[in-house]
Amino acid sequence: MTSDLPGNLGRVLQAAGVCLLWAAVLLRARPAARHPGQRGLWLAVACAAVALTLHLEAVSAYAAALTGSPRAVGLVKNQAGIVSAGAILHFAVYATGSRRRTGAVLATTAAVMAALLALAGLGSPHAPGHGPYPTLACPRCAAYWLLLVTVHVAACALCARVCWRYGRSGPNRSVNLGLTLLGWGSASAGLYWLAHYYLVAVEGRPGGVLRLVLSAHAVLCAAVLTVPTALQLCRAAGHARTVWRIWPLWRDLVEAVPHVALAGTRCRPLTLLRPQLPWRQLAYRKVIEVRDALLVLSHYTDPAVSRAARAHVARWGVPAERADAHVAACALRSARAARLAGMEPDPAAEVLAAGREACGLAAETAFLLRLTEAYLSPCARAFDPTGTAGTGTTDTGTACTGRADTAGRTGPAAAPTPRTRLSETPTGPDERRGTAPPPLP
């Protein structure tokens, strides 16, 4: 029983690879039907799934018992393998832009299939469950197998070469990854068929090692088909991570400036587990709401607090590349406290954000994530604008108390600029800023 362990392991892994391949085919069936650009790859991998399924011994035995013709089952299996190789090569050539050669690929595939049927019909010897037997004793059988193996090896080698060549230089990340995986899958299939030259010479059958190679081919083909789904999940995970990381800053700012929130506040886990919007739009909304809150709180800052914050950050020894974010975080905590204390805003105050030069949604999100990290740091938590600023004086010699210069200000000049709510759709105009928001990635 121990001596048959490699063979049993190879059969199990081969069956697992085929099941994974069929799962990928079924998963991508609906997107392939809706997007014409994905149909070629889906059909190629579906053909590979059919061919690899017929290579399973249990399936071949069941089909032979059902049809009563093991020879016909073997011939169908080999024909399906040629169709699979031709379909994968056709997709690789088409995806790299050499569309003029796709006709030659289809014509060659049809010619090889006809030639194999002709050789099989000339009376090749019969082997139960496997069609023509790989032997050199019969010239017609030898010609059948040599043609079959040579076509597979040539097709796999050409497909791997094309995929590896264009998979490194293409402009599309998804296509590049798919071509690279398809190249490795073709290489594994080529290795499987290359070993058949030896099997033809010794009249042998594929063993456990070759079954492992074939299972690797199935797994790689399944990975090729699921590349768009995997990249989509990675992007969704990135948006969810952004929402999770920015949530503490968003919660504190919405508490001080509640009117910037377009929806009700929810706890952190519930925001991700039961999102009211797709994670991409949810991350966009959080970024916009935090930015709008920063604009409101900018009217509660003054240069004295900013100078005190910079001195506080310098005393804490924050690295230079993170100093601006920590200074903004300290000033933000002071502005939030002033807003919650009911102090009057100053419309002439400078904009509160060290990253206001960030252009685009990606740059703005990156800055807000750095600001959140600084906002939650011990340095920002320890900042006391009254106690820290009180040790220095302004140009007139008065103590910097944060809001003393505006505490008694009244009248319409002290009121903040009226603001309107942002459109519910993330692609609409940002009415509060008067400019269009950065586009979704």
Side-chain angles (χ1 to χ4, degrees):
M1 186 172 183
T2 305
S3 60
D4 196 35
L5 181 60
N8 292 332
L9 180 61
R11 293 185 185 92
V12 171
L13 293 180
Q14 184 181 358
V18 171
C19 292
L20 182 62
L21 185 57
W22 276 113
V25 169
L26 296 177
L27 176 66
R28 297 298 301 175
R30 185 175 180 181
R34 290 183 299 180
H35 301 284
Q38 300 181 13
R39 293 173 189 169
L41 176 60
W42 185 86
L43 289 174
V45 177
C47 291
V50 173
L52 292 174
T53 301
L54 294 176
H55 273 80
L56 296 175
E57 292 182 358
V59 175
S60 297
Y62 176 78
L66 185 64
T67 61
S69 178
R71 178 183 178 82
V73 173
L75 292 176
V76 170
K77 176 178 66 175
N78 292 331
Q79 292 289 313
I82 293 296
V83 172
S84 170
I88 292 178
L89 182 58
H90 177 273
F91 167 77
V93 173
Y94 184 86
T96 55
S98 303
R99 301 183 180 181
R100 296 180 179 179
R101 301 178 182 178
T102 55
V105 173
L106 295 177
T108 303
T109 302
V112 171
M113 293 175 65
L116 290 176
L117 288 176
L119 290 174
L122 292 178
S124 299
H126 171 221
H130 294 280
Y133 192 78
T135 179
L136 298 178
C138 176
R140 290 186 296 271
C141 186
Y144 176 94
W145 277 97
L146 289 177
L147 176 61
L148 177 67
V149 173
T150 301
V151 168
H152 273 290
V153 171
C156 292
L158 181 59
C159 183
R161 180 179 179 273
V162 170
C163 291
W164 288 339
R165 177 183 177 184
Y166 289 92
R168 296 191 300 264
S169 58
N172 191 295
R173 176 189 175 189
S174 176
V175 174
N176 292 347
L177 180 58
L179 288 176
T180 302
L181 293 174
L182 186 61
W184 284 108
S186 300
S188 61
L191 182 62
Y192 171 83
W193 285 105
L194 191 62
H196 277 67
Y197 282 119
Y198 172 77
L199 297 178
V200 171
V202 300
E203 301 182 4
R205 295 293 182 185
V209 176
L210 290 184
R211 291 192 183 95
L212 292 177
V213 174
L214 206 58
S215 64
H217 172 67
V219 171
L220 289 170
C221 287
V224 171
L225 199 59
T226 55
V227 163
T229 301
L231 292 180
Q232 184 178 4
L233 291 176
C234 289
R235 287 191 292 267
H239 295 311
R241 186 168 59 252
T242 297
V243 173
W244 179 266
R245 292 175 59 188
I246 208 174
W247 191 88
L249 176 63
W250 173 87
R251 176 201 57 197
D252 284 4
L253 297 188
V254 166
E255 181 183 358
V257 193
H259 70 269
V260 301
L262 296 173
T265 58
R266 308 169 76 192
C267 66
R268 196 178 189 182
L270 189 61
T271 301
L272 289 180
L273 295 178
R274 297 185 61 184
Q276 298 173 327
L277 293 172
W279 284 340
R280 182 174 68 118
Q281 298 180 16
L282 188 60
Y284 179 91
R285 173 176 287 187
K286 297 301 181 189
V287 169
I288 293 300
E289 290 174 351
V290 168
R291 266 300 189 177
D292 289 337
L294 290 178
L295 291 177
V296 174
L297 293 178
S298 294
H299 300 295
Y300 293 85
T301 61
D302 61 47
V305 173
S306 298
R307 289 193 297 269
R310 190 165 296 277
H312 173 75
V313 170
R315 285 193 298 272
W316 273 73
V318 177
E321 63 272 12
R322 294 187 296 169
D324 289 342
H326 279 71
V327 170
C330 293
L332 179 60
R333 282 189 172 273
S334 174
R336 176 179 177 273
R339 167 86 178 190
L340 292 176
M343 293 192 176
E344 295 294 332
D346 180 9
E350 62 179 1
V351 175
L352 174 66
R356 54 182 174 269
E357 70 279 359
C359 298
L361 181 62
E364 192 168 6
T365 302
F367 162 71
L368 292 182
L369 290 177
R370 293 194 301 270
L371 180 62
T372 303
E373 181 181 359
Y375 183 84
L376 300 176
S377 66
C379 174
R381 293 178 183 275
F383 177 64
D384 182 4
T386 302
T388 311
T391 59
T393 58
T394 63
D395 294 338
T396 59
T398 59
C400 302
T401 58
R403 301 307 310 163
D405 57 334
T406 59
R409 184 178 298 174
T410 58
T417 304
R419 310 175 71 83
T420 58
R421 294 182 64 81
L422 181 67
S423 172
E424 286 289 332
T425 58
T427 56
D430 192 339
E431 299 175 356
R432 283 175 288 188
R433 300 189 198 180
T435 59
L440 283 174

